[in-house]
C-alpha cells in the first residue's frame, strides 16, 4: 500500500507539471504529501528570489510558515545552512544542539523537536530547501530521507524544466510572481479570518478550497477578496460561525 501511495504521489506531481501550472499550489501540495508519506509533523519550503535571497513559499501549517520566517529573519537555522551548503542537514534533537540557539528555542515554542532539511538542487544549482519538522526527537530512517530527497528532486527538476521550455529566466519570473502573490494571499487570509471569525490556518484552507472548486489561481481569488470584487467568501466549515 505504501508503494502504491508513493507511486500515486509521483504521478500526481508529474501531472501537475504542465504548461502554465500554478507554482504556489504545486509547492503546497508538495509539503502536504511530504507530511503524509514521511510521517513527519510538518513541512516547509524555501526558494530563492531574483536577488538570490531565500523566501518562504509554502508550508503545511501556519506555525511552520512562521517558524520558517523567523529562521530567515535571524539568518540562522538548519534550513538556511542546507541551502548555503547544498547538503542535507539533520538535527535529531534540537534541545541538545548548541547550534542556532534562537531557532531551536523558537522551534520548541511551536512544538518541534527535530528538523531535517533537504536541498532542492540539480547538479551545482541550488534553488531552495525542503524542510521536514517533527514534534518528537529522533532520526528519519534512510528510506524516508531518500523519499524526501526524491520529492525535492522532482520538484526541482520540474521548476527548472519550465525555465528550459520557455526561456532561461522563466523560473525567476514565476518564482518572483509567486513571492509577490504571497503578500496578496496573506492579506486575503486576514480578510477571511476577520470576516468568517476563523483562525488564519482555516482561512487559508478556505482560500485554497475556493480556488480549486472554481478552477482559479490562488492569487486571483486572493486579489478578488482583498479588493472586494468577490461577492461572497467561501463558506466556513460546518459548525463555525459565518
Amino acid at each position: 500500500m505504501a508503494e502504491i501511495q508513493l507511486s500515486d504521489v509521483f504521478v500526481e506531481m508529474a501531472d501537475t507539471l504542465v504548461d502554465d501550472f500554478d507554482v504556489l499550489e504545486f509547492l503546497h501540495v508538495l509539503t502536504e504529501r511530504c507530511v503524509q508519506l514521511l510521517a513527519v509533523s510538518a513541512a516547509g519550503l524555501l526558494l530563492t528570489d531574483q536577488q538570490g535571497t531565500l523566501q518562504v513559499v509554502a508550508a503545511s501549517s501556519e506555525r511552520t510558515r512562521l517558524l520558517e520566517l523567523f529562521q530567515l529573519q535571524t539568518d540562522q537555522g538548519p534550513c538556511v545552512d542546507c541551502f548555503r551548503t547544498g547538503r542535507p542537514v539533520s538535527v535529531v534533537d534540537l534541545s541538545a544542539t548548541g547550534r542556532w540557539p534562537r531557532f531551536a528555542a523558537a522551534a520548541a515554542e511551536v512544538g518541534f523537536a527535530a528538523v531535517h532539511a533537504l536541498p532542492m538542487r540539480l547538479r551545482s544549482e541550488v534553488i531552495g530547501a525542503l524542510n521536514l519538522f517533527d514534534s518528537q526527537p529522533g532520526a528519519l530512517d534512510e528510506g524516508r530521507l531518500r523519499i524526501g530527497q526524491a520529492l525535492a528532486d522532482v520538484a526541482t527538476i520540474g521548476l527548472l524544466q519550465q525555465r528550459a521550455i520557455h526561456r532561461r529566466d522563466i523560473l525567476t519570473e514565476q518564482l518572483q510572481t509567486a513571492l509577490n502573490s504571497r503578500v496578496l494571499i496573506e492579506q486575503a487570509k486576514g480578510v477571511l479570518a476577520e470576516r468568517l471569525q476563523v483562525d488564519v490556518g482555516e482561512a487559508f484552507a478556505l482560500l485554497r478550497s475556493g480556488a480549486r472548486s472554481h478552477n482559479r489561481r490562488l492569487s486571483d481569488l486572493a486579489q478578488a477578496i482583498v479588493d472586494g470584487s468577490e461577492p461572497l467568501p467561501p463558506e466556513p466549515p460546518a459548525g463555525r460561525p459565518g
Side-chain angles (χ1 to χ4, degrees):
M1 182 60 69
E3 292 179 356
I4 294 174
Q5 185 181 19
L6 179 59
S7 299
D8 289 345
V9 168
F10 278 107
V11 169
E12 176 189 24
M13 294 182 67
D15 286 345
T16 306
L17 293 170
V18 296
D19 286 344
D20 199 30
F21 73 100
D22 190 330
V23 176
L24 277 178
E25 177 62 16
F26 170 72
L27 297 176
H28 277 290
V29 168
L30 173 62
T31 61
E32 291 172 346
R33 296 299 178 264
C34 284
V35 172
Q36 294 167 2
L37 284 174
L38 306 178
V40 293
S41 301
L45 203 150
L46 308 177
L47 290 175
T48 54
D49 61 14
Q50 286 179 322
Q51 287 72 45
T53 303
L54 276 179
Q55 302 281 354
V56 181
V57 293
S60 62
S61 67
E62 184 67 14
R63 62 175 178 161
T64 310
R65 186 185 72 84
L66 294 176
L67 179 60
E68 295 279 41
L69 283 173
F70 178 81
Q71 183 174 195
L72 296 181
Q73 290 167 357
T74 58
D75 196 31
Q76 66 163 246
C79 310
V80 173
D81 285 3
C82 174
F83 169 72
R84 287 174 176 167
T85 64
R87 295 184 176 184
V89 176
S90 286
V91 185
V92 299
D93 188 351
L94 282 167
S95 66
T97 181
R99 301 169 66 186
W100 326 294
R102 297 178 65 186
F103 170 80
E109 285 184 8
V110 295
F112 294 136
V115 60
H116 312 277
L118 304 172
M120 296 189 69
R121 179 186 64 201
L122 182 62
R123 300 183 182 90
S124 61
E125 185 169 6
V126 183
I127 65 171
L130 173 62
N131 313 308
L132 310 173
F133 299 90
D134 219 335
S135 58
Q136 298 296 324
L140 282 183
D141 59 69
E142 183 179 353
R144 286 190 292 168
L145 283 174
R146 289 180 63 185
I147 292 172
Q149 188 62 67
L151 290 169
D153 291 344
V154 168
T156 302
I157 292 170
L159 291 169
L160 293 175
Q161 181 66 15
Q162 281 296 107
R163 181 177 64 178
I165 291 174
H166 296 287
R167 57 186 184 275
R168 184 164 182 81
D169 61 350
I170 191 65
L171 176 62
T172 301
E173 293 180 5
Q174 284 188 328
L175 294 183
Q176 190 62 46
T177 298
L179 294 170
N180 294 340
S181 297
R182 284 302 311 179
V183 176
L184 198 58
I185 288 170
E186 292 304 315
Q187 293 174 341
K189 283 162 59 177
V191 171
L192 286 179
E194 175 66 23
R195 185 179 299 175
L196 302 178
Q197 294 298 296
V198 298
D199 64 38
V200 289
E202 291 173 293
F204 184 53
L206 291 170
L207 185 65
R208 289 183 65 195
S209 176
R212 284 178 169 179
S213 62
H214 294 88
N215 196 27
R216 299 176 66 181
R217 289 181 178 271
L218 277 172
S219 55
D220 292 342
L221 181 56
Q223 178 70 67
I225 289 173
V226 169
D227 64 26
S229 62
E230 190 74 9
L232 288 175
E235 289 296 325
R240 296 306 299 262

